[in-house]
Amino acid sequence: MSENLIAVLEQDVGQAACEQAAYRLLDWLGCALVGAREEQGLAVIRYAKTLPEGNVACIGGGKREASTSAFVNGALGNILEMDDLHRMAIVHPGDTVIPAVLAVAQRELSTSGELLRAIVRGYEAAIRVGEAAGTEHYRYWYSTATCGVFGAAVAAGSLMSLDRDKLSDAVGLAGMQSSGLWQCRLEKGFAKQLASARAAQSGVLAADLAKCGFPAPRQIIDGRLGLLAATSTNSRVEALTKTGSECWKVGEVSEKPWPGCRHTHPVIEAALRYRVKLSLDKISHVEVYTYKSAVDFCDDAMPDTPHRARFSLQHAFAIAFIKGEPELSDYVGEVLADTTIDTLRSKVAVFESPDLSAEFPHRYGCRLIVYTEDGECMRESILSAKGDPENPVDASASRRKFRSLAAHAGLTDEFAHDLEQTILGLPSEHSCSSKLFDGLEALIDL
């Protein structure tokens, strides 16, 4: 099966997909810049500085060898829950693919076209494996890491010009390193960042070993004792090689306009609709009906840490209704303790909706009912939250998001603007991506 997947990935990557890849890179970098300032990011950067130096830049961690850079950068993109998402795969592909691409591209002095095509192919592999693994895999396994490692390996192998045989070995070796359990979300700690970091790093290692002649299983994904058999009861192996569309899956990715787990975004959008037609003192109580995974992950009426707040449907509704479009500052200390926000959170009850569960992961939807003090009942339904392909953010909003995150991370407006222009100019460049690499080097002491 690995060879058949590789055959799909060998299709020509056109200009449109390269432009989409540039925006995915911009989005990831903004998230990673802010992540590097957080407690989790600072911890992994301290670790990086204990390791030998190399010639590849990693954000905040100096110049290290390629797999270390992939590890450090791979830990940063998902810290503040603003990373991109493919709904059907339930994978955040940028978190693992882009750190692997940036590490290997710097080492190999890749051209801008090679870099962007590697992102496109890496996204394709990660997403297809995620689609094949299905929702039951996601129940216990952190799909971004377990499936993202395949995308990282394919992307790294693409930059190294591995032939089909060796790229198949890289896929097999990626499968031997696929890991990440959801117990990490039930306990305190930074293990989630370790999973994405290791997936990015393992992808680079898999490609490097394959290049050196390290053979691997060719049915590691779909074999009798492979990933799908071991970790899913509703796998769809046909997703690995299904064709019928000329579009690359990088174009199917959702971009988050607001902080917080993607499961909370439909509720945020609904709350924003309510706030323009209802005053806070009129709310008696709120019922949120949504799909099972959203309930499992995000039913938390009393979040007491930024991490818990980013996974709270109740907090998402309260801050969006009271303050408007959520910002990073809406998930920290004094906001969490605000009595007005806490009072509204306590009025929000969360329930599973069987019909919305049946739609997941095709749709991440919700229905809200707000009951007023005078007995009125007000309803809102969101089937495609802002940022989904059916309800996209436009290019200007993506650029504003990057500039906002860059400012939050302490970058000057001028430097952020130059980085933005460099990244979005990559599809029109055909030489070595020197300006991008120079920009990354300027971030090694962030």
Side-chain angles (χ1 to χ4, degrees):
M1 180 59 72
S2 294
E3 294 94 334
N4 295 335
L5 174 60
I6 300 306
V8 172
L9 301 174
E10 288 175 342
Q11 301 174 76
D12 180 60
V13 178
Q15 182 72 7
C18 286
E19 291 172 359
Q20 290 164 342
Y23 273 97
R24 294 299 94 232
L25 172 56
L26 185 74
D27 191 62
W28 174 85
L29 182 58
C31 296
L33 289 172
V34 179
R37 297 288 197 181
E38 295 296 304
E39 188 179 3
Q40 303 96 313
L42 293 172
V44 79
I45 287 169
R46 286 194 297 271
Y47 168 70
K49 291 179 177 179
T50 70
L51 302 175
E53 294 185 354
N55 60 357
V56 176
C58 52
I59 297 173
K63 297 180 73 172
R64 308 292 159 185
E65 62 91 21
S67 69
T68 299
S69 175
F71 178 89
V72 174
N73 289 342
L76 303 179
N78 67 357
I79 291 174
L80 290 178
E81 298 297 330
M82 294 194 75
D83 43 349
D84 62 19
L85 169 75
H86 188 276
R87 289 175 302 183
M88 280 296 293
I90 326 179
V91 166
H92 303 276
D95 292 338
T96 59
V97 171
I98 291 177
V101 165
L102 292 180
V104 176
Q106 290 177 78
R107 185 185 69 187
E108 303 292 325
L109 298 179
S110 302
T111 67
S112 58
E114 291 167 340
L115 184 152
L116 294 173
R117 289 190 291 273
I119 291 175
V120 173
R121 293 190 170 109
Y123 268 58
E124 191 79 11
I127 290 168
R128 283 179 176 268
V129 175
E131 288 179 321
T135 53
E136 280 303 304
H137 179 88
Y138 178 70
R139 182 180 179 187
Y140 293 104
W141 299 91
Y142 179 30
S143 304
T144 294
T146 56
C147 304
V149 67
F150 295 97
V154 164
S158 174
L159 290 167
M160 295 161 62
S161 299
L162 299 186
D163 61 25
R164 184 181 295 188
D165 190 58
K166 283 187 166 50
L167 198 53
S168 295
D169 286 333
V171 169
L173 294 169
M176 289 300 293
Q177 302 174 86
S178 173
S179 63
L181 290 162
W182 267 133
Q183 184 64 26
C184 68
R185 71 179 176 85
L186 302 181
E187 302 183 42
K188 294 180 179 180
F190 302 159
K192 185 179 178 185
Q193 276 65 57
L194 174 64
S196 58
R198 284 292 289 172
Q201 181 182 47
S202 295
V204 175
L205 175 60
D208 282 341
L209 285 172
K211 183 177 181 179
C212 292
F214 204 100
R218 299 305 173 88
Q219 293 182 292
I220 197 72
I221 302 173
D222 64 320
R224 183 168 59 91
L225 300 178
L227 178 78
L228 302 183
T231 66
S232 180
T233 59
N234 67 339
S235 61
R236 297 169 50 248
V237 68
E238 67 275 8
L240 294 171
T241 56
K242 183 179 180 181
T243 57
S245 172
E246 296 180 359
C247 297
W248 290 89
K249 291 184 181 293
V250 68
E252 300 175 359
V253 170
S254 298
E255 180 177 325
K256 294 180 183 177
W258 309 300
C261 175
R262 186 60 177 173
H263 297 319
T264 69
H265 282 217
V267 171
I268 291 172
E269 187 160 353
L272 292 173
R273 294 183 183 181
Y274 279 115
R275 78 185 304 264
V276 299
K277 56 187 177 183
L278 182 67
S279 61
L280 177 61
D281 62 345
K282 295 293 186 181
I283 295 179
S284 168
H285 61 285
V286 181
E287 294 177 351
V288 173
Y289 295 87
T290 188
Y291 50 96
K292 186 176 187 302
S293 286
V295 176
D296 290 345
F297 276 68
C298 298
D299 182 8
D300 188 350
M302 295 184 292
D304 58 357
T305 66
H307 177 75
R308 285 183 62 182
R310 289 191 281 268
F311 283 82
S312 169
L313 292 165
Q314 290 89 338
H315 188 72
F317 179 87
I319 58 171
F321 185 87
I322 292 172
K323 304 186 70 176
E325 294 199 29
E327 300 178 355
L328 291 170
S329 57
D330 292 325
Y331 295 82
V332 297
E334 59 186 40
V335 176
L336 297 184
D338 184 278
T339 55
T340 302
I341 291 173
D342 184 54
T343 298
L344 184 53
R345 282 193 305 240
S346 69
K347 295 181 178 182
V348 180
V350 175
F351 305 94
E352 182 193 354
S353 166
D355 61 313
L356 291 174
S357 291
E359 286 286 316
F360 179 78
H362 299 271
R363 290 284 188 273
Y364 289 26
C366 73
R367 285 193 301 274
L368 268 67
I369 307 175
V370 172
Y371 297 88
T372 67
E373 293 290 355
D374 56 9
E376 188 178 358
C377 176
M378 304 176 67
R379 302 174 185 268
E380 287 286 349
S381 294
I382 304 292
L383 291 182
S384 296
K386 190 70 174 175
D388 282 345
E390 304 86 355
N391 186 13
V393 295
D394 59 24
S396 62
S398 296
R399 294 193 295 270
R400 286 196 301 273
K401 176 184 175 182
F402 173 75
R403 289 194 294 271
S404 174
L405 292 174
H408 195 87
L411 272 63
T412 66
D413 291 344
E414 182 181 6
F415 184 28
H417 177 266
D418 288 346
L419 267 179
E420 175 192 315
Q421 294 302 305
T422 295
I423 291 170
L424 297 183
L426 289 174
S428 61
E429 296 288 339
H430 301 288
S431 59
C432 177
S433 307
S434 57
K435 287 193 293 184
L436 174 60
F437 301 157
D438 289 344
L440 293 173
E441 287 203 14
L443 298 171
I444 62 177
D445 295 318
L446 182 70

